[in-house]
Amino acid sequence: MIVLTLTEITEILGGELHSTPTTLSATDTVSGLVDTDSRQITPGDIFVAKPGEHTDGHNFVGIARAAGAVLALVEHTVEEDIAQIVVPDVVVAIADLARAVVARVRAEGNLRVIGITGSNGKTTTKNMLAAILSAQAETVAPRASFNNHVGAPLTILRTTFDTRFLIIEMGASHVGDIARLVSIAKPDIGIVLKVGLAHAGEFGGVERTVLAKSEMVTPLTENDVAILNADDYRVIGMAELTRAAVRTFAVDGDNATFRAADVRSTRTGTDFTLVDAAGAEHPVHLRILGEHHVYNALAALSAADALGIATADAIAALGTLERAERWRMEVLGGRDDVTIINDAYNASPDSMAAAIRTLAQITPRDRRTVAVLGVMTELGELAGDEYDRIALQLVRLNISQLVVVGAEARRLHITAINEGSWDGESVYCEEADAAFEYLSTAIRPGDTVLVKSSNSAGLRLLGDRLGEFFTC
């Protein structure tokens, strides 16, 4: 974070400073990182005592102080020897502090802010763009999937006057969430990847999802750039809602600013030809599996071009990225030529369908495909139809073996059996341990295995176990 005195922070937050002779005082400065997790605190940092559903951050102020925190943002004072600023709501406070910090850096530096949203692909696109931009200048990007009303401000607060690029991943569960994040960060470039059914149940339908995602581009000015997926009619329709200059990317469309041609997927990655606005062609190799990640790469390359970065340099930087993210199309295994694809960090109908297509595409015809699938959360009343659609896809793509894990996903198993004339090709397991016991003997040499579910199912850990079991 930029250097601020405790008085400045207190004024920004409209809070009340409490200090003692043995703690920092009003005129002292801080410039450490800001975090809600006491386990992440290092000397000089600021700890945010955020109340939670199961734990209260105020109970961890002492642990944070012992780890080196010099200031705590609290909603009531605690009996710990550390400077404390009391505010009515610490979550609102970190948003206010982030807004002030990014405004000061923008005013005195050369900061460019890029916001990314979409039902799928945000984290992968963030990582791709971070690989490109960090090769050019100091870049701040979220760790993991820090994309909500807490994570995004914490990312912004890592910005300093040396930061050239700030990437903000913006997720949402309700209409208005992205608008609040945009009001804090004020992006120069806003990227919308896709409008799908992820969180559709929570939003109240796909049209409400469209409204929420459009909040990325509606506040942009004529000096900003909106980067939109031209293959998604709901996304490209947002061009009419923004004053920003619009750039597009596509795989299917011919009129996009950046488009991909000759897409090819293998076990070692994904290749395509980038066709830019001038019609020039550039070969691209991603070490990340899956044709669906071509869209993420196009979005990242489009943003890099808008920032004035040479396409050749951007492509070279993309080629260094070994994986999308932990538990996202992560390739494990290797023993007996068994490939485990652990993609169980999250799952929506679109991302699950894309992962299954990838499984079919990258597996040689003489080898077996195994899909280990769990629950897709937050679909509401759409869940039944979407499980049926995925089951039909599994049958049509002739997936060799289906293993469904967990009661919430059992419909997938039942529908797959009803759709296909299978004899044991679909197996249902109540929990992950049972699935591991089955798969450890059922997987054959040469198999390609996909593990996919929403995070809550915990199948990412099953994927890790399988990867370790089949490690050379």
Side-chain angles (χ1 to χ4, degrees), residues 187-270:
D188 302 286
I189 296 175
I191 301 172
V192 184
L193 298 167
K194 185 177 181 61
V195 173
L197 294 177
H199 309 291
E202 195 166 355
F203 276 115
V206 70
E207 294 310 316
R208 297 281 290 175
T209 307
V210 175
L211 179 60
K213 301 304 181 185
S214 69
E215 293 169 359
M216 172 63 75
V217 298
T218 50
L220 298 181
T221 73
E222 55 274 4
N223 297 320
D224 301 326
V225 177
I227 296 176
L228 305 176
N229 180 354
D231 285 343
D232 186 325
Y233 74 93
R234 295 186 177 102
V235 174
I236 196 60
M238 297 176 192
E240 300 177 0
L241 305 177
T242 185
R243 293 172 292 162
V246 174
R247 298 189 179 202
T248 59
F249 60 93
V251 173
D252 297 328
D254 293 328
N255 298 320
T257 313
F258 271 26
R259 63 184 180 88
D262 303 322
V263 179
R264 303 170 302 282
S265 291
T266 68
R267 277 181 166 188
T268 61
T270 308

Side-chain angles (χ1 to χ4, degrees), residues 321-341:
L321 200 61
E322 294 186 3
R323 65 185 182 189
E325 179 67 78
R326 183 81 166 98
W327 300 310
R328 287 178 168 89
M329 299 303 286
E330 185 176 11
V331 178
L332 306 170
R335 178 169 59 83
D336 297 330
D337 198 27
V338 171
T339 299
I340 308 294
I341 304 171

Side-chain angles (χ1 to χ4, degrees), residues 413-456:
H413 167 67
I414 294 171
T415 305
I417 292 173
N418 292 336
E419 288 287 352
S421 56
W422 286 3
D423 180 18
E425 287 89 345
S426 183
V427 174
Y428 171 71
C429 299
E430 284 285 348
E431 42 83 34
D433 286 343
F436 177 79
E437 292 302 318
Y438 172 77
L439 289 163
S440 62
T441 57
I443 293 173
R444 305 173 188 172
D447 283 358
T448 305
V449 183
L450 168 70
V451 183
K452 180 72 173 173
S453 72
S454 288
N455 196 25
S456 61

